[in-house]
Amino acid sequence: MGLKTAALKKSIWVFHVACSPCNNCDIEILDLLTPRFDVERFGIVLVGSPRHADALLITGVANTHVTPRLIETYRATAKPCVCFLFGACASHGNFFRGSYNVPRRIDEIIREEDPNAIIVYIPGCPPKPEAMIAGVVKALSVL
Amino acid sequence: MTDEQKYAVSEIVKSALGGMVVSIDQPRPNRIYVLVDQKDFPAAAKVVYEQLGGRLATSTALEVRDAVELIYHFMLETEMVLCNLKTLVMKPELKVGSVGAFLPGADWIEREMAEMYGVTFEGHPDPRHLLLPDGWPEGNYPMRKDFPQQPGTESGETKPVVY
Amino acid sequence: MKKTILPIGPFHPLLEEPEFFTFHLDGETVIDVDVRIGYNHRGHEKLATGLTWDQVPFLVERICGICSTSHPYAYVLAVEDMLGIEPPPRGKYIRSLIGEMERIHSHLLWLGLAGHFIGYNTVWMWAWRYREEILDACELLSGNRNHYAMCRVGGARRDVSQKALDFTMKALDTNEKSTKMFLGAVADDPVIHKRLKGVGILTKEDAIAYCATGPTSRPSGVRWDIRETDPYDAYGESLEAGAWKVIVTENGDVFDKAVVRVLETLESIYLCRWLIENMPDGDFQVVPGEMHEGEGCGHHEAPRGEVFHYVRSDGSNKPIRHKVRAPTFSNLPTYKASCPGEQIADVALITAAIDPCYCCTERVGVIAGGKHSSLTQDDLVKLSVEKTMEIEKRMGVKSVLNKFK
């Protein structure tokens, strides 16, 4: 484990990228910050800029309009960073693969930009908040 | 409102629209379908909006053989009846007067129909793209039957998707 | 006149969908607004024509996660309108119950976010905590916290157990108390009055011209509620029985929008209770039978306004046209009427007051006189919080916001 990865795992700051979601994963992510789940006690904080972030929380499918903005956001994030793909849409496209406005899967887009990107899939429609926390913990324990 | 009172609404609509009505149908008490001619369409919509107090719920475009059918769904809130105003816009010109010119509520939906079906709304205040990206190529209308269910890329050309 | 152009969007660190606003400013005053949407366009209407009639509810559910029962609800009403099917009473009551539970959780969600925007983060945390109980009840009723999948052509998709109904009753009781507490807090706090009253007024004429619906138009004195004017399922009976009433206020400002939502939450709680008490026994679904040619319209009063669906069939197993109109589509353009003349610090609030599937920014660039400076969304919220603090100072109230400095 390098120094950078060790530092990454400590207190993870996240930036939320809503591509073309149905809002459901998004409100569940916000739910994580509120008293029932309260992930801030683990040092997970939602930040306002990708430049401050250790991890990107990506929800939804990437349509033609949002794809270049997603790539731009990924470039702006400090490396190494972890990309969490929340929900079935981000993981494999769900209903929307094959729609005229959804050209590629999100992991394809990110891999094309950076072949060594760390991508974590958290399936479910939407994943339960408990599943989201479990996914983050699991990902951090294998890094 | 009882059903009899609702059935009487089609007579009110008919007398308000006068000679513009091609056909009128009320299959259920709370649904009226009125067909008007393409050239009378904005005038008819104006009558329903201003005289009958209709609220434009939305409008639908759909492709039929040699025309695009437009349906403007007006909710007559006091009469508790949904009045659907229909017209056929003939291909290949696909031109019709704009309702958005006098009804701000129709602004966005006409922009959407214009980019999805290629209907030109004459006199529309703001004829830009609404949902599709700005670089979307001219002449590609995704909701038409001949447009394949294939994704476009940012530059506009379509390519098959591999999952 | 020198104009400043303030772009906001498309990504936002806190909230839901991407949208892009361009504000034209004169000093701190907004003189024009333009909204660019399309970051969320996934082609639902085209996809729906490739699915069978019974698959479409699952697709339209994924249009919006917050009002995730409204779209299938409106869709099944449209198909039932086309086929002339009458679902059994129990099916109708189950669907209406889920629809109202959704309204409660959606309004609480909005209330929390509105609190966050004026700097009252406590309100945010409280509202979302009380919302969890409603979500638990939804999970027990339908099997999932959000996408419920309870609507089906010809009734409800599955039955609900008595145990779940009892649990829901308890959750409603605790929720009523907390909502009333909120109502007291909103109605009495002088700082909130100062901050929200007279801000972002949408006049009655504008609400009618822009065809705004739901809690955007009703605060402006426009009595448009589909549950009342085109009653469906259990809404007609419950309105006659006096279980709930339509909330209408006159001023059209942000304060009224907040009050309407809080009062509607209470009305929904009463309605849910009435539905559970009067839940009929028997079948909860019928077999739809043969599909035939035709067209149908269905609409449902979602938390944010009217959801409208139109379907047309040629007698095959797939719709040939399925039109979806979400409430924000007609509520969003009212920015043009309510934002100009307001201060930039209020804009976050006014846009939030419409409860759009709201979205803002990753970064706000201010271009003024050729100079570039950069603001983040945090700065925008800070502007809003600072205004609240200034009002507090002027009124001589002890600030509760110091920790946000």
Side-chain angles (χ1 to χ4, degrees):
Chain A
M1 193 196 290
L3 182 64
K4 276 184 177 171
T5 327
L8 175 71
K9 283 172 65 175
K10 280 292 172 193
S11 162
I12 197 165
W13 285 17
V14 295
F15 179 70
H16 179 194
V17 191
C19 286
S20 307
C22 74
N23 285 347
N24 214 333
C25 300
D26 309 74
I27 57 171
E28 295 290 55
I29 287 173
L30 277 192
D31 233 17
L32 292 177
L33 301 174
T34 55
R36 169 81 64 97
F37 301 101
D38 193 15
V39 290
E40 265 184 47
R41 65 204 152 119
F42 306 126
I44 299 176
V45 182
L46 205 60
V47 292
S49 163
R51 298 198 188 276
H52 301 160
D54 299 315
L56 296 178
L57 309 183
I58 303 173
T59 57
V61 289
N63 69 11
T64 41
H65 210 150
V66 98
T67 304
R69 277 100 184 159
L70 171 66
I71 296 171
E72 209 48 56
T73 312
Y74 182 79
R75 280 186 194 149
T77 316
K79 309 289 177 311
C81 75
V82 192
C83 296
F84 290 101
L85 305 190
F86 278 102
C89 294
S91 299
H92 62 75
N94 207 354
F95 267 111
F96 309 106
R97 53 182 166 191
S99 166
Y100 58 84
N101 210 20
V102 182
R104 282 177 300 166
R105 282 199 321 253
I106 286 181
D107 51 355
E108 279 178 352
I109 295 168
I110 294 174
R111 283 250 188 273
E112 198 170 277
E113 176 61 29
D114 176 10
N116 300 320
I118 308 164
I119 297 181
V120 181
Y121 303 87
I122 300 175
C125 191
K128 291 214 182 319
E130 294 90 340
M132 290 181 175
I133 298 173
V136 173
V137 170
K138 221 173 216 177
L140 292 184
S141 59
V142 297
L143 270 183
Chain B
M1 280 256 167
T2 59
D3 283 0
E4 287 78 42
Q5 284 170 315
K6 285 183 186 172
Y7 276 119
V9 174
S10 66
E11 289 304 315
I12 300 172
V13 173
K14 207 171 179 178
S15 61
L17 290 174
M20 291 188 273
V21 178
V22 176
S23 70
I24 187 162
D25 180 25
Q26 193 166 14
R28 285 166 292 283
N30 54 357
R31 302 281 186 268
I32 299 178
Y33 295 92
V34 192
L35 182 67
V36 297
D37 194 76
Q38 182 180 342
K39 63 180 191 311
D40 298 330
F41 187 66
K46 197 162 190 165
V47 169
V48 177
Y49 168 58
E50 284 175 0
Q51 286 183 25
L52 301 175
R55 169 175 66 83
L56 182 69
T58 190
S59 45
T60 307
L62 67 129
E63 206 177 10
V64 290
R65 189 165 295 156
D66 50 3
V68 169
E69 189 176 334
L70 300 184
I71 311 168
Y72 279 57
H73 311 277
F74 284 96
M75 183 72 199
L76 309 179
E77 299 276 353
T78 43
E79 289 86 3
M80 300 165 80
V81 171
L82 188 70
C83 174
N84 300 288
L85 196 64
K86 288 185 180 183
T87 191
L88 290 168
V89 185
M90 289 301 165
K91 283 179 186 171
E93 293 87 13
L94 285 176
K95 274 189 184 156
V96 69
S98 168
V99 177
F102 57 87
L103 174 55
D107 180 346
W108 276 25
I109 186 65
E110 288 189 347
R111 280 167 70 183
E112 186 186 326
M113 290 192 289
E115 65 185 355
M116 292 296 169
Y117 283 92
V119 183
T120 309
F121 290 93
E122 288 170 323
H124 189 277
D126 185 15
R128 288 177 299 156
H129 273 305
L130 181 69
L131 296 173
L132 297 175
D134 293 322
W136 193 267
E138 289 289 312
N140 273 6
Y141 302 113
M143 287 300 289
R144 294 256 191 106
K145 294 278 182 219
D146 55 4
F147 188 85
Q149 181 60 281
Q150 266 179 1
T153 56
E154 182 69 3
S155 59
E157 80 270 18
T158 57
K159 62 167 192 178
V161 68
V162 182
Y163 275 107
Chain C
M1 186 174 54
K2 204 177 240 177
K3 273 202 305 187
T4 310
I5 297 170
L6 180 74
I8 303 181
F11 284 123
H12 178 287
L14 259 185
L15 276 176
E16 302 127 18
E17 298 156 312
E19 282 163 358
F20 186 80
F21 297 103
T22 316
F23 290 101
H24 297 259
L25 305 175
D26 178 21
E28 281 208 355
T29 313
V30 179
I31 47 179
D32 196 13
V33 194
D34 186 34
V35 188
R36 181 79 177 89
I37 58 171
Y39 296 94
N40 222 321
H41 179 62
R42 288 161 287 172
H44 271 99
E45 292 178 12
K46 184 100 174 172
L47 285 169
T49 57
L51 298 173
T52 63
W53 292 99
D54 201 35
Q55 286 172 331
V56 176
F58 296 103
L59 173 71
V60 293
E61 198 157 56
R62 273 131 189 104
I63 290 173
C64 177
I66 304 172
C67 31
S68 69
T69 217
S70 306
H71 286 281
Y73 206 152
Y75 167 79
V76 298
L77 287 171
V79 179
E80 282 165 8
D81 177 42
M82 178 174 75
L83 296 177
I85 303 172
E86 183 77 4
R90 191 175 172 86
K92 287 181 172 182
Y93 274 63
I94 292 173
R95 294 199 307 209
S96 295
L97 175 63
I98 293 287
E100 288 309 305
M101 293 293 280
E102 183 184 86
R103 193 183 316 281
I104 299 171
H105 100 66
S106 177
H107 281 347
L108 284 176
L109 182 146
W110 177 84
L111 195 66
L113 292 176
H116 171 68
F117 279 118
I118 56 170
Y120 280 28
N121 272 14
T122 321
V123 175
W124 179 29
M125 292 297 165
W126 275 2
W128 282 56
R129 201 184 102 203
Y130 297 126
R131 184 175 157 268
E132 286 293 326
E133 285 154 13
I134 296 294
L135 290 182
D136 284 346
C138 287
E139 188 171 2
L140 212 57
L141 284 169
S142 71
N144 201 355
R145 285 162 57 90
N146 299 87
H147 290 314
Y148 312 114
M150 289 295 269
C151 292
R152 173 186 187 273
V153 177
R157 198 168 287 277
R158 53 184 90 80
D159 204 357
V160 293
S161 67
Q162 191 56 44
K163 195 181 145 204
L165 291 178
D166 293 342
F167 184 89
T168 310
M169 210 60 165
K170 264 187 222 135
L172 290 171
D173 285 343
T174 45
N175 218 272
E176 188 186 351
K177 272 184 215 135
S178 48
T179 311
K180 281 189 170 151
M181 188 260 293
F182 270 126
L183 187 61
V186 172
D188 292 347
D189 193 324
V191 179
I192 289 184
H193 275 234
K194 202 91 179 170
R195 187 76 176 79
L196 304 185
K197 274 201 171 163
V199 172
I201 293 174
L202 180 68
T203 60
K204 190 170 182 176
E205 292 72 37
D206 282 333
I208 292 172
Y210 280 93
C211 303
T213 61
T216 306
S217 73
R218 285 197 288 271
S220 305
V222 185
R223 197 187 171 91
W224 284 346
D225 191 323
I226 295 302
R227 297 174 293 170
E228 184 190 39
T229 54
D230 193 5
Y232 50 94
D233 284 7
Y235 290 118
E237 296 161 34
S238 56
L239 192 62
E240 275 166 27
W244 62 286
K245 56 182 189 291
V246 179
I247 306 288
V248 185
T249 59
E250 293 301 325
N251 300 324
D253 52 7
V254 178
F255 184 77
D256 271 25
K257 283 173 186 161
V259 167
V260 162
R261 284 198 174 87
V262 178
L263 291 176
E264 270 187 12
T265 313
L266 279 175
E267 294 301 323
S268 288
I269 291 172
Y270 303 147
L271 176 52
C272 281
R273 218 176 262 156
W274 187 87
L275 288 169
I276 293 172
E277 278 164 4
N278 294 283
M279 179 79 68
D281 291 327
D283 276 346
F284 56 95
Q285 50 174 244
V286 289
V287 179
E290 200 89 339
M291 180 57 64
H292 56 73
E293 276 183 41
E295 57 189 337
C297 311
H299 41 193
H300 166 67
E301 186 73 23
R304 286 165 184 74
E306 179 206 31
V307 167
F308 188 96
H309 281 231
Y310 170 86
V311 289
R312 164 134 353 150
S313 161
D314 60 351
S316 69
N317 64 342
K318 290 171 184 170
I320 58 167
R321 181 76 172 96
H322 176 205
K323 169 74 195 167
V324 179
R325 202 290 316 263
T328 307
F329 196 88
S330 49
N331 289 343
L332 209 74
T334 61
Y335 288 135
K336 282 201 173 135
S338 59
C339 277
E342 299 293 338
Q343 289 199 329
I344 190 70
D346 290 329
V347 159
L349 197 62
I350 297 165
T351 47
I354 288 157
D355 194 8
C357 289
Y358 170 75
C359 211
C360 206
T361 177
E362 151 211 340
R363 186 188 64 80
V364 181
V366 181
I367 307 154
K371 273 187 231 152
H372 262 258
S373 63
S374 226
L375 292 178
T376 64
Q377 164 65 13
D378 292 347
D379 294 333
L380 204 64
V381 173
K382 212 163 97 198
L383 269 178
S384 180
V385 173
E386 274 167 8
K387 189 169 173 189
T388 310
M389 290 171 71
E390 205 187 296
I391 289 171
E392 279 177 337
K393 212 168 92 226
R394 237 183 288 143
M395 294 173 69
V397 181
K398 194 167 171 283
S399 181
V400 291
L401 302 173
N402 281 333
K403 61 177 174 156
F404 296 109
K405 254 178 188 173

